Amino acid sequence: MSKVLIKKLDPSVELPAYKTDGASGMDLMAFIKETITLKPKSSCLVPTGLSVAFSNNFEIQIRPRSGLAAKNNISVLNTPGTIDSDYRGELKVILFNHGNVDFLINNKDRIAQMILTPVIKMDLEETDDLPETIRGEGGFGSTGKWAKIW
């Protein structure tokens, strides 16, 4: 396990925890004073009342909860959201309502999950030529069936 320092921004905030031994992520809960009504096809920023510190070789990814997505059409808008190792502000989650009905977010509702993930930094080397491949410059849908959506 890797150490992550976590700070409650209010004494009443509950710390995240793994729900099972096999869980990859910890559920984040809303920390709000009033219920938020998330309208259809809209997003909102939901505070958690937490801030963190961890090693430079990692990031925390904020991901949707599958139950919210499957049952209520609620997802994290910029999934996965990235918390950089040098960020010390409050963790906030951008939720999006893909559905057709209002969704209510209450204090302590589980809204997303956070996962600590290793980061491998790139060392860019500029070149005028890239190695050839079978695919070449083939883009979207070039290696399989492309679903026409328009």
Side-chain angles (χ1 to χ4, degrees), residues 9-115:
L9 302 178
D10 184 282
S12 64
V13 172
E14 291 183 30
L15 292 180
Y18 293 106
K19 298 297 184 196
T20 66
D21 288 341
S24 299
M26 295 181 176
D27 287 338
L28 289 173
M29 291 180 279
F31 182 70
I32 52 179
K33 304 231 185 288
E34 295 179 8
T35 298
I36 296 172
T37 301
L38 182 52
K39 297 285 188 189
K41 313 301 184 234
S42 297
S43 64
C44 68
L45 194 59
V46 183
T48 66
L50 300 168
S51 58
V52 294
F54 50 91
S55 167
N56 288 347
N57 300 327
F58 292 90
E59 70 171 325
I60 287 180
Q61 292 185 355
I62 306 300
R63 298 183 186 177
R65 293 190 65 244
S66 56
L68 279 181
K71 296 175 185 172
N72 301 104
N73 297 305
I74 303 300
S75 186
V76 175
L77 184 60
N78 62 326
T79 191
T82 295
I83 307 300
D84 294 310
S85 63
D86 58 353
Y87 176 67
R88 294 295 180 270
E90 181 176 12
L91 302 182
K92 295 180 182 179
V93 178
I94 307 168
L95 291 182
F96 187 82
N97 184 349
H98 292 276
N100 297 316
V101 297
D102 290 355
F103 180 76
L104 301 179
I105 304 165
N106 299 296
N107 190 45
K108 297 189 179 180
D109 280 354
R110 294 182 296 158
I111 56 168
Q113 56 182 329
M114 67 174 183
I115 294 158

Side-chain angles (χ1 to χ4, degrees), residues 127 129-133 136:
T127 183
D129 297 302
L130 296 175
E132 294 291 326
T133 67

